[in-house]
């Protein structure tokens, strides 16, 4: 819907119409600039550690250009009507737009900084986070990083400038917009743009739309936060298996607690913070490194232990760790951590022996079933 064009003062229509005609003439050359800017952005990420999901671009349509070129400044009483962009072909920075679509919000800043460092290709003249206003006002909106970039001595831009104004020496400098946002924000904004901004006739509007867009923006933020937390946890768990890095870190009581709460947050019922008991049990078997505990706390082993012992109650960390060590080390675990067999009272040894027998019966049953 051509809202601004329809409301444009008659005295300004010839000027805007002339700009639109000129834009329509040079747009094919501008499309080549768009393709060039997209290629340049893609090349930046070719060997980067952080890879976007995809990079896309667009050249403003003639209709969209006319709509933006028709915007008027707010008139003061008695003042003549005036355009917000008197020379739109040179005033507008969004005729060419490149979008970098990422997976998680944290990647937006990484991508933006990577682009801004390419000072021989682009000069960053603006950097804005679109969600900052909504955060500070306590409202919701999608998160997006907007860069205003200026190309430097670009040959494709020079060709466009020669088409636009043959009388002026081309310098290869052109302003365009680069948006960086997540795939979730991208989908949300595309839908919002179609409904909220392409249909600007307020007669066809309802407060319900605003309310629902606000609600979906809030849900979007929650989903992105959840995926970010999952990604961080995945990175942490992966580092546990780095034998030359975090995997080699010593198993202090606090380190054991950290690893346990990362891998098994649903099995964490100890009311105190003392995990010395765990360090003692692990050290009895020579388990003193992070990677060794990560290897022990495997989900398949935990499932087998639960099935073998048929726990009446879900075990806490102390009981589950004890059972996992028993599952892996058998009689050796009993001899290393229980009372001596010669003791008159040996409740721990007897308990471990009963559980060990259950584990052996479970394994034998499974072996018979697998062999039949």
């Amino acid at each position: 819907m051509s809202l601004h064009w329809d409301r444009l003062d008659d005295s300004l229509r010839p000027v805007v119409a002339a700009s639109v005609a000129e834009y329509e003439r040079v747009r094919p050359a501008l499309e080549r600039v768009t393709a060039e800017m997209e290629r340049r952005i893609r090349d930046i990420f070719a060997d980067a550690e952080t890879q976007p999901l995809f990079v896309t671009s667009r050249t403003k349509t003639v209709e969209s250009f006319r709509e933006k070129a028709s915007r008027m400044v707010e008139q003061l009483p008695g003042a003549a009507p005036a355009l917000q962009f008197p020379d739109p072909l040179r005033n507008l920075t969004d005729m060419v737009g490149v979008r970098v679509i990422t997976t998680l919000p944290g990647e937006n800043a990484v991508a933006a900084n990577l682009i801004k460092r390419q000072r021989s290709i682009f000069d960053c003249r603006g950097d804005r986070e679109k969600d900052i206003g909504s955060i500070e006002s306590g409202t919701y909106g999608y998160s997006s990083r907007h860069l205003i970039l200026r190309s430097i001595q670009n040959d494709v831009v020079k060709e466009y400038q020669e088409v636009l104004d043959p009388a002026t020496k081309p310098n290869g400098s052109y302003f365009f917009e680069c948006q960086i946002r997540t795939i979730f924000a991208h989908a949300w904004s595309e839908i919002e743009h179609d409904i909220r901004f392409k249909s600007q006739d307020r007669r066809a509007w309802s407060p319900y739309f605003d309310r629902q867009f606000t609600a979906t923006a809030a849900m979007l933020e929650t989903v992105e936060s959840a995926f970010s937390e999952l990604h961080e946890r995945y990175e942490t768990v992966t580092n546990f298996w780095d034998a030359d890095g975090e995997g080699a870190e010593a198993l202090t009581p606090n380190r054991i607690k950290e690893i346990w709460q990362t891998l098994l947050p649903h099995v964490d019922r100890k009311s105190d913070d003392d995990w010395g008991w765990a360090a003692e049990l692990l050290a009895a078997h020579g388990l003193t490194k992070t990677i060794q505990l990560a290897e022990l706390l495997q989900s398949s082993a935990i499932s087998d232990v639960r099935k073998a012992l048929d726990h009446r109650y879900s075990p806490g960390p102390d009981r589950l760790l004890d059972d996992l060590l028993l599952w892996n080390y058998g009689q050796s675990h009993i001899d290393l951590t229980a009372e001596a067999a010669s003791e008159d009272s040996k409740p721990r040894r007897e308990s471990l022996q009963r559980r060990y027998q259950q584990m052996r019966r479970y394994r034998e049953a499974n072996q018979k079933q697998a062999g039949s």
Side-chain angles (χ1 to χ4, degrees):
M1 182 171 292
S2 302
L3 185 64
H4 292 290
W5 171 254
D6 291 343
R7 294 179 179 177
L8 184 63
D9 190 90
D10 288 341
S11 65
L12 299 175
R13 284 183 178 275
V15 177
V16 173
S19 294
V20 173
E22 180 68 354
Y23 181 71
E24 194 165 10
R25 180 184 73 82
V26 303
R27 191 173 183 276
L30 192 61
E31 286 183 316
R32 291 190 286 275
V33 172
T34 302
E36 168 71 0
M37 296 305 105
E38 179 184 334
R39 182 186 70 81
R40 291 281 188 166
I41 295 292
R42 285 181 183 275
D43 288 347
I44 291 172
F45 292 99
D47 299 318
E49 183 177 346
T50 297
Q51 291 288 323
L53 283 176
F54 58 90
V55 178
T56 185
S57 63
R58 64 101 183 97
T59 308
K60 188 177 280 295
T61 65
V62 174
E63 181 183 356
S64 180
F65 176 85
R66 184 183 71 172
E67 202 35 29
K68 197 153 190 177
S70 301
R71 291 184 182 180
M72 295 186 295
V73 296
E74 188 174 345
Q75 285 183 250
L76 296 173
L83 293 169
Q84 186 175 346
F85 305 104
D87 189 359
L89 281 163
R90 292 167 181 81
N91 298 149
L92 297 181
T93 59
D94 66 342
M95 292 188 296
V96 168
V98 178
R99 286 175 179 162
V100 177
I101 308 303
T102 63
T103 305
L104 298 168
E107 295 174 5
N108 290 354
V110 175
N113 291 336
L114 189 60
I115 293 170
K116 290 166 68 176
R117 285 200 295 268
Q118 312 304 311
R119 295 185 178 89
S120 63
I121 306 173
F122 302 124
D123 175 25
C124 183
R125 305 303 294 270
D127 182 357
R128 181 171 61 93
E129 290 190 62
K130 191 164 184 179
D131 66 338
I132 289 297
S134 62
I135 291 173
E136 293 177 350
S137 64
T139 57
Y140 287 96
Y142 81 94
S143 175
S144 180
R145 191 80 172 261
H146 288 220
L147 305 180
I148 301 299
L149 302 175
R150 180 177 67 88
S151 64
I152 298 175
Q153 293 291 324
N154 186 279
D155 291 335
V156 178
V157 170
K158 289 180 180 179
E159 293 172 6
Y160 163 72
Q161 290 171 333
E162 288 174 350
V163 173
L164 179 64
D165 189 357
T168 302
K169 184 179 178 180
N171 59 16
S173 176
Y174 184 80
F175 287 89
F176 69 100
E177 185 177 276
C178 179
Q179 294 183 8
I180 307 168
R181 60 196 186 196
T182 67
I183 187 66
F184 294 105
H186 179 62
W188 187 92
S189 63
E190 289 295 294
I191 296 170
E192 186 209 33
H193 187 264
D194 284 344
I195 297 176
R196 182 177 264 173
F197 292 105
K198 285 188 178 179
S199 304
Q200 296 188 49
D201 187 348
R202 301 305 299 183
R203 295 171 300 178
W205 195 252
S206 165
Y208 176 82
F209 295 161
D210 284 325
R211 180 178 174 83
Q212 288 303 102
F213 274 121
T214 300
T216 54
M219 288 187 282
L220 172 68
E221 183 175 305
T222 301
V223 170
E224 286 193 328
S225 295
F227 275 110
S228 294
E229 192 276 333
L230 284 170
H231 179 73
E232 290 172 8
R233 187 176 291 268
Y234 171 78
E235 291 293 311
T236 301
V237 171
T238 302
N239 288 335
F240 291 161
W241 292 88
D242 181 4
D244 297 321
E246 277 199 37
E249 191 170 326
L251 287 176
T252 63
N254 284 338
R255 179 61 170 171
I256 294 170
K257 177 182 178 181
E258 176 190 344
I259 296 167
W260 188 281
Q261 292 178 338
T262 300
L263 296 176
L264 302 172
H266 59 292
V267 189
D268 184 22
R269 298 184 183 173
K270 287 199 72 67
S271 58
D272 57 69
D273 292 325
D274 179 18
W275 284 67
W277 56 270
E280 291 177 7
L281 282 178
L282 293 166
H285 296 283
L287 306 181
T288 59
K289 296 181 180 179
T290 292
I291 192 171
Q292 293 172 319
L293 180 55
E295 289 172 343
L296 180 71
L297 301 181
Q298 290 301 290
S299 59
S300 57
I302 293 172
S303 295
D304 282 332
V305 165
R306 288 185 184 278
K307 291 175 183 177
L309 298 180
D310 191 20
H311 293 125
R312 292 180 60 190
Y313 304 101
S314 295
D318 43 1
R319 173 61 187 272
L320 183 56
L321 180 61
D322 201 23
D323 287 342
L324 282 169
L325 290 168
L326 182 61
W327 175 265
N328 279 272
Y329 296 102
Q331 188 63 46
S332 173
H333 180 63
I334 300 172
D335 293 336
L336 287 170
T337 65
E339 309 90 346
S342 58
E343 292 287 333
D344 292 333
S345 177
K346 38 185 182 285
R348 173 169 169 77
R349 175 175 287 272
E350 291 169 356
S351 174
L352 287 172
Q353 289 286 5
R354 284 194 301 270
R355 283 141 59 190
Y356 184 41
Q357 290 304 316
Q358 283 182 263
M359 290 178 181
R360 291 181 63 180
R361 286 195 294 270
Y362 174 79
R363 279 180 163 140
E364 288 171 1
N366 278 359
Q367 289 172 358
K368 288 181 180 178
Q369 187 175 1
S372 61

